[in-house]
Amino acid sequence: MAKVFVQPRKARPFWFGHPWVFSGAIDRVKGDPRDGSVVELCDHEGKTIGSGWWNGRSQIRVRLVALAHEGALDDALLVKRLDRAIDLRLDAMRLQETASVFRLVHSEGDLLPGLVIDAYREAAGETEGALHLVMQVTALGMTAHLPALIARLVERLAPASITERASGYAAEEEGIARADAVHHGDAPVHPICVVENGVRYWCDIRAGQKTGFFADQRDNRRAVLPYVKGKSVLDAFCYVGGFGLPALVHGGAASVHFLDSSGFALELAQRGAASNGVAERATFEDANVLRVLDRWGREGRMFGVVMVDPPKLVHRRMELEKGLRLYHEINRKAVGVLEDGGILVTHSCSQHVSESDFEHMLSTVAKETGCRFQLLHRGTQGADHPVMLPHDESRYLKSRVFRVVKPPEGFVPFRPDGPPRSAPGNDG
Ligand code: SAH
């Protein structure tokens, strides 16, 4: 087995199990490891830290999978970890009692680096009750263990199907080209219905985004319910209706306008509204959120609650500044269509945007618009997307609810670099 030696004074996080060894932390390599093969990770003196997967094409050169005391990196170890991941969802969290869709395996958060598995149990239709598992593989080394893991899933959960969805990230960053594939059973060729918090959703595990549904927002969807009663709500970046449908079904919203640039997602949202019997309070629009918000801002169309949940805008650290500007623009425009005292529900699912980056960006929006942002709720990804310390990088979802108090019409916000020319009483 090849040995990878960490640079002097860089080994500390790895002794505590941090799983990402970037190229810059590596001192030297003994042997010529094949991409995807198991290597021994050592500190610079040669003491064994553990074993992991080598990938010379990835910025994450070694994924540390097993510390020395945890045993050999083999099928048996990963199957044991798979069992523990399933136990956590079914026995400890009892998620199956409130949701028929949730994350079964969350990569590093379950000590199964580069593997995500979502579970979907059908809640309506001809094959009601059927369980479908959808996986994504983002580490080359994980691929060798898939047969053993799939066999264990079949043995333990008896799913109707196991599908793999190719990940664009894995292809680009890890150089692993995997295609969509059905590994077991028959995957549904049509959209399926699932239930979360008593709301029916339609999603498509073969053609939808990611694995088909964003289960990470489950708790945040519930957290906004108290604020929507009797309100006109905008669900921008709605996908299949994640936030807007519960607002109608349980929150008592007067109306929800669903807005997304994917006609396919909107069709599923529409189907969800019909299945939940709330279609008469729902409207749907296939358009670019930024353009629509601009237009409404000019026309003066207002909402009592505005929810924005854009896709991941920062994929690499070097895109952070640009991404934050885009988040800023989205939120500023969202505030532009919010009534005085209205509720802003806003999210970022970019791992590179920290909690403090996100709040700083939002406080800049507040300053520039002259609004007061009153923080009512701070949320993150659900517990089925756990973070295994010290790997804080897997905490990616940020959710905030604010009441927004608007300034009087014509108010010009203070600018530290001198008031703008148009400020009243300031042109001499
Ligand atoms: N809120 C959703 C998840 C949103 S995922 C839920 O709870 O399930 C992000 C969504 O943004 C996707 O559906 C994508 O189609 C949409 N999207 C991306 N860019 C967009 C744009 N410029 N205008 C409108 N929708 C956009």
Side-chain angles (χ1 to χ4, degrees), residues 201 209 213-217 221 235-244 259-262 265 287-290 308-313 347 349:
Y201 292 98
Q209 297 177 31
F213 186 76
F214 294 96
D216 53 358
Q217 288 280 25
R221 291 178 183 130
D235 182 357
F237 307 96
C238 67
Y239 192 49
V240 299
F243 282 86
L259 182 58
D260 201 283
S261 58
S262 158
N288 182 319
V289 168
L290 288 168
V308 287
D309 184 17
K312 190 167 170 178
L313 300 178
H347 303 96
C349 62

Side-chain angles (χ1 to χ4, degrees), residues 325-401:
R325 279 199 296 275
L326 200 46
Y327 280 115
H328 184 279
E329 184 182 355
I330 291 168
N331 283 281
R332 191 166 40 77
K333 289 179 176 172
V335 166
V337 299
L338 202 55
E339 293 163 2
D340 178 31
I343 300 289
L344 174 69
V345 180
T346 183
H347 303 96
S348 162
C349 62
S350 303
Q351 173 241 312
H352 293 293
V353 174
S354 69
E355 296 277 339
S356 63
D357 289 336
F358 191 55
E359 290 206 350
H360 182 260
M361 177 277 296
L362 288 163
S363 70
T364 313
V365 173
K367 285 179 197 158
E368 284 185 10
T369 55
C371 293
R372 299 277 205 168
F373 276 28
Q374 187 172 32
L375 181 60
L376 306 178
H377 171 75
R378 257 200 189 114
T380 182
Q381 64 226 45
D384 50 340
H385 297 62
V387 178
M388 187 67 78
L389 297 178
H391 187 243
D392 216 39
E393 291 87 336
S394 54
R395 184 193 314 280
Y396 63 95
L397 186 61
K398 292 152 290 289
S399 172
R400 296 289 184 277
V401 179

Side-chain angles (χ1 to χ4, degrees), residues 234-307:
L234 172 64
D235 182 357
F237 307 96
C238 67
Y239 192 49
V240 299
F243 282 86
L245 289 177
L248 289 167
V249 176
H250 297 304
S255 65
V256 174
H257 190 69
F258 292 88
L259 182 58
D260 201 283
S261 58
S262 158
F264 178 70
L266 281 169
E267 266 173 44
L268 295 173
Q270 207 155 359
R271 205 159 157 184
S275 291
N276 289 289
V278 296
E280 73 283 356
R281 285 180 287 144
T283 48
F284 302 86
E285 185 171 348
D286 180 348
N288 182 319
V289 168
L290 288 168
R291 274 195 219 122
V292 171
L293 291 179
D294 268 344
R295 195 182 72 230
W296 288 343
R298 286 194 303 272
E299 293 170 0
R301 175 157 178 193
M302 294 287 179
F303 293 87
V305 179
V306 176
M307 303 164 166

